[in-house]
Amino acid sequence: MNENALVSEISPQSNIQQQKGSIDIKDLSVVFESKDTRNVALQTTNLRVNPGEFVCILGPSGCGKSTLLNVMAGFLDATSGEALLDGKVINEPGPERSMVFQHHSLLPWKTVGGNIEMGPRLTGDLEAQQTVTYFLDMVGLSEYRNHYPDQLSGGMQQRVGIARALATYPRVLLMDEPFGALDYQTRLVMQENLLNLWGEFKSTVVFITHDVDEAIFLSDRILVMSAAPGRIIKDIKNPLGRPRDQFVSSDPIFIDLKRECLELIRTQSMSKP
Ligand SMILES: Nc1ncnc2c1ncn2[C@@H]1O[C@H](COP(=O)(O)OP(=O)(O)OP(=O)(O)O)[C@@H](O)[C@H]1O
Ligand SMILES: [Mg+2]
């Protein structure tokens, strides 16, 4: 399996640099209620993600990370408060926001190219075929255009998922543990790939992970959430410069930040809801 970082030699299209959205979360809470249960998935939360920022969210299982991301994506309604994209209330999914999930959600009956092409076609991209060519090249999978998802490795499937997510030129890329199911080596390469792609796009990214090293390696800012019912307990600016490679993990700044995050998470993991 060739998982090398593969960033296109092709110049980015002229509109790419404009794809930066802001997200504002204002007094947002989400409660799931059924006939006899009431589950506070997310306590009142306030947050701003600036255009072009790469924000990682860390927190214990079940604390509401995916819930928060799903509201940003427009898949889920807030119980109170609101989420805004570039100042406009989010109440449905839209092509200006793309989501990448932990497990690829590629359609098995469509080829790699067919999967990536769907978004551009829906958004009226008259050059959908060229867009597919461009993004396939960018994730290093040009020769797999006519393959089906189950003919690819897990890492390759995730790369197709990322190409598909980018192919609508989203202003915000939402990623819910996108590398969580990958083996360690592949994950490291995928992280570097993503940073290379982001270096080219600079679109806004909100990235959920359980992996503290991953959060530090990727982010401009780390949000640490409490145990369920979740809220943001710490908003940490990542002082590490860019570009980064995996050897940054031996930098004392990295180690200090890791210690801070791990201590916060340990405290939360031990606290009773
Ligand atoms: N559709 C739903 N209906 C009812 N409860 C839900 C629903 N989705 C999530 N929840 C509940 O909301 C809480 C937060 O779930 P969420 O999936 O956001 O957690 P998470 O932080 O993403 O966890 P993990 O790290 O395990 O992915 C959990 O208690 C979960 O059971
Ligand atoms: Mg989740």
Side-chain angles (χ1 to χ4, degrees):
M1 178 172 67
N2 179 6
E3 301 290 359
N4 290 330
L6 293 155
V7 175
S8 169
E9 295 293 317
I10 302 168
S11 305
Q13 293 178 15
S14 55
N15 61 343
I16 287 176
Q17 293 302 322
Q18 299 161 11
Q19 308 299 318
K20 301 175 188 177
S22 66
I23 296 269
D24 285 287
I25 299 294
K26 295 192 172 168
D27 296 330
L28 182 89
S29 73
V30 178
V31 180
F32 292 104
E33 279 185 287
S34 62
K35 208 167 76 157
D36 40 25
T37 61
R38 186 173 189 276
N39 185 1
V40 180
L42 191 66
Q43 294 191 57
T44 306
T45 297
N46 286 284
L47 161 68
R48 177 173 170 84
V49 182
N50 294 310
E53 209 176 11
F54 199 128
V55 171
C56 286
I57 302 180
L58 284 170
S61 185
C63 75
K65 302 181 294 298
S66 297
T67 300
L68 178 58
L69 211 67
N70 283 330
V71 174
M72 293 180 187
F75 297 149
L76 192 64
D77 290 332
T79 306
S80 64
E82 57 188 10
L84 308 167
L85 171 72
D86 296 329
K88 290 194 190 127
V89 175
I90 296 169
N91 46 27
E92 58 181 0
E96 68 290 330
R97 284 152 290 146
S98 286
M99 183 83 130
V100 181
F101 301 93
Q102 180 172 11
H103 295 284
H104 79 82
S105 53
L106 304 173
L107 299 177
W109 61 88
K110 279 194 180 280
T111 61
V112 163
N115 269 283
I116 298 172
E117 196 183 324
M118 285 189 308
R121 284 243 178 268
L122 282 172
T123 56
D125 181 348
L126 298 175
E127 296 178 340
Q129 287 294 325
Q130 285 98 309
T131 302
V132 173
T133 303
Y134 176 70
F135 284 99
L136 265 180
D137 187 51
M138 194 176 252
V139 296
L141 291 173
S142 295
E143 70 239 60
Y144 294 91
R145 186 175 190 132
N146 297 318
H147 284 59
Y148 287 89
D150 66 3
Q151 295 174 306
L152 307 181
S153 72
M156 291 158 87
Q157 289 165 346
Q158 281 306 73
R159 273 151 63 190
V160 177
I162 291 169
R164 186 181 59 175
L166 292 174
T168 52
Y169 298 99
R171 296 212 292 274
V172 178
L173 185 58
L174 303 169
M175 309 187 85
D176 195 349
E177 300 189 54
F179 308 146
L182 304 177
D183 67 87
Y184 178 72
Q185 295 298 341
T186 306
R187 195 158 72 231
L188 296 189
V189 177
M190 293 294 289
Q191 291 166 2
E192 288 183 352
N193 277 351
L194 179 62
L195 280 193
N196 287 336
L197 289 170
W198 179 73
E200 205 162 325
F201 276 88
K202 291 282 184 199
S203 91
T204 310
V205 182
V206 183
F207 186 108
I208 290 176
T209 179
H210 282 279
D211 181 338
V212 174
D213 288 49
E214 181 169 75
I216 299 173
F217 179 61
L218 294 174
S219 70
D220 294 319
R221 195 148 62 97
I222 299 173
L223 306 175
V224 183
M225 292 184 65
S226 70
R231 63 189 171 84
I232 295 166
I233 52 165
K234 193 91 189 204
D235 185 337
I236 308 171
K237 187 171 168 5
N238 185 341
L240 288 171
R242 296 185 190 273
R244 299 171 191 165
D245 61 30
Q246 295 289 353
F247 297 104
V248 76
S249 59
S250 57
D251 187 317
I253 297 174
F254 187 106
I255 294 166
D256 284 350
L257 193 50
K258 182 170 178 176
R259 185 176 296 116
E260 182 178 3
C261 291
L262 286 175
E263 279 173 5
L264 282 163
I265 291 166
R266 185 180 307 127
T267 313
Q268 290 306 313
S269 303
M270 288 188 306
S271 70
K272 295 261 186 299

